[in-house]
Each structure stands twice: as structure tokens, then as C-alpha cells.
Amino acid sequence: MIDFDKLIDAYLYREGKAKTTGRYYPSEIGQCLRKIWFGYKQPKPVEPELTKIFEAGNLLHEFVLDVLKSEKTPEIELVENESPLTASFDGFTVSGRIDDIILIKRNNQKFIVEVKSCKDIQKIWEPSRQYIMQLQFYMHVTEIHNGVLLYVEKNTLKSKSFFFDYEEKIANEVVERFKKLNTSIIQDKIPEPEAKIDQKTRWMCFYCNYRKECNDVDGDKYGKI
């Protein structure tokens, strides 16, 4: 018999490639800085279940792209998709890809659209802080000061949208986080376990592939997870 799970895992397998110090990504910066630091210092293969989630997200974005391009949605014009973005700062570079840039024809207003998949749209009461930071950084660099986080439920294609204006304060916070990350990597100084020390984000540790390494660093200081 053919094991299609194994075929899919083999197809999606990604090696843990070493990341380049001084090159960072907007999609990561809202995560725990210690987790990102470990990703540069001790790269690991991407776990099979995570690659499946990424691929499902890509497929969902393709669907949204078809909607935005369709003649059935004439009020929207797709300006760009998978738009590359690069911004240089003192000593490092940030690069990423914007999902979509659209034009609302009735008022000639551009929006950055970031598509996020979810299991249950009813449980999305507010957008992730991580995604907000990513979107604000994109608005900061592109000077397109309108953005939307579009959550789409995988099983039903139901959606929920959160619209944002550009907030310079958040964008500057993101830039400072990049600077802090860059310094910690260059100096080989491990950051604080942000997720672990905040009860609101502590749950992230249970899904972190560097949980053991993080616990080894801290011992019982914050409690084992």
C-alpha cells in the first residue's frame, strides 16, 4: 500500500538551513526573541506538521488571490501579490514578502492585505499581536498606511477582517526589536524568554521547538515548561 502521509512529508521536508546574521524577517519579529535567537544559533529542520500548516496557508492564499483577481469582484483591483520588501538599517537588513496590495476603486485607496489561516473563525476575537507588528512594519516601509489582517477558516472559507491605520509607535517598536535581536546575535548574548515570563504568552512555549534548550538555560528560574 502507498503511505501518502510519508509522501507528503517527504515532499514538504525542509532542512534546517543556517540563517545569515544581519538578515531578518518581519514574519518572525513578533515571536519570542529568544526563539528567534535559537533559530540563528541552533537551526533545526522544520517539523513535518509545521510544514503542512505552512503549505495549507499557501493554498489558502492562492484562493484569496483568485478572489481578488476575479472579474466577479470589480470593486477591487489587485495591484501586487507576493511583493518583495527589503529595508536596510544600521548594520542589518530586513526582507520579506507582502501577501497582497489591493486598490479600493471607489475611493482610490490602497491596502496591504495579509492573509492568515485559522481552524475556527469564531475563536478569533482579535488579531495576533505578532501579525499586527508584521503588518505595521510593512506599512512603515511601503508608506501604504492602510492594512488589513484577513483570517480565513480552513474548512469553511469563512473570513474575518481586521482593518488598521498606520501607527508609527508600533512600527518604531518593531524596528527596535530588530535592533535588539541583531545585537544579541552578534554579541552571542541570549535574550530573555519573553513568552515564558508573560502569562499571556506563556502558552507559546508549549509549541516551541526550542523549549528544551530554553529550559536548560533558565533552570527553575521561571518554572519548567
Side-chain angles (χ1 to χ4, degrees):
M1 299 291 289
I2 299 174
D3 188 333
F4 281 95
D5 278 339
K6 287 185 178 179
L7 293 179
I8 292 171
D9 286 345
Y11 174 74
L12 295 176
Y13 176 77
R14 301 181 188 177
E15 293 183 358
K17 296 182 180 178
K19 295 180 178 180
T20 303
T21 298
R23 189 173 187 86
Y24 308 112
Y25 306 94
S27 59
E28 292 184 336
I29 198 59
Q31 299 175 9
C32 176
L33 286 185
R34 178 176 286 189
K35 177 184 178 182
I36 305 172
W37 186 91
F38 270 122
Y40 280 82
K41 297 296 183 176
Q42 300 178 30
K44 293 182 178 182
V46 181
E47 296 180 358
E49 291 306 311
L50 194 56
T51 61
K52 291 175 184 176
I53 292 172
F54 289 155
E55 187 63 21
N58 290 336
L59 294 172
L60 203 60
H61 179 232
E62 288 298 321
F63 168 75
V64 172
L65 187 59
D66 288 340
V67 171
L68 297 177
K69 292 190 298 185
S70 174
E71 295 179 356
K72 298 178 182 179
T73 54
E75 66 274 20
I76 300 292
E77 177 185 338
L78 178 66
V79 178
E80 293 183 50
N81 76 286
E82 292 294 322
S83 178
L85 174 144
T86 301
S88 296
F89 298 89
D90 186 18
F92 64 92
T93 300
V94 179
S95 62
R97 287 185 179 276
I98 299 172
D99 282 346
D100 305 295
I101 299 175
I102 62 173
L103 178 71
I104 309 297
K105 292 183 179 180
R106 70 173 180 272
N107 56 12
N108 202 39
Q109 195 169 43
K110 286 185 179 180
F111 276 80
I112 292 175
V113 180
E114 280 297 303
V115 182
K116 307 299 180 183
S117 61
C118 66
K119 289 183 179 180
D120 186 353
I121 202 73
Q122 298 301 321
K123 294 182 179 179
I124 305 297
W125 302 106
E126 59 183 9
S128 163
R129 177 70 175 174
Q130 174 184 341
Y131 298 153
I132 294 173
M133 295 176 78
Q134 179 185 1
L135 181 62
Q136 287 290 340
F137 183 78
Y138 288 157
M139 288 194 282
H140 178 71
V141 175
T142 63
E143 296 185 353
I144 298 174
H145 288 175
N146 303 287
V148 55
L149 288 172
L150 174 63
Y151 284 81
V152 183
E153 190 174 88
K154 298 174 185 177
N155 293 335
T156 66
L157 299 182
K158 292 180 180 178
S159 67
K160 187 175 288 187
S161 303
F162 298 91
F163 291 84
F164 294 89
D165 296 325
Y166 171 66
E167 294 187 43
E168 185 177 9
K169 180 179 178 181
I170 298 178
N172 289 337
E173 177 187 342
V174 176
V175 172
E176 289 304 313
R177 286 179 66 80
F178 279 121
K179 291 179 179 178
K180 185 176 180 180
L181 174 64
N182 185 58
T183 299
S184 68
I185 291 174
I186 291 175
Q187 296 180 355
D188 200 26
K189 184 177 180 180
I190 190 167
E192 285 187 328
E194 294 178 313
K196 189 187 295 185
I197 61 181
D198 187 339
Q199 290 298 324
K200 294 181 180 179
T201 56
R202 195 174 173 87
W203 61 269
M204 295 179 180
C205 300
F206 292 99
Y207 302 94
C208 179
N209 57 339
Y210 290 102
R211 184 171 60 175
K212 181 183 182 303
E213 290 85 350
C214 184
N215 281 331
D216 288 345
V217 171
D218 295 325
D220 294 325
K221 183 176 181 180
Y222 304 104
K224 295 283 187 179
I225 294 181

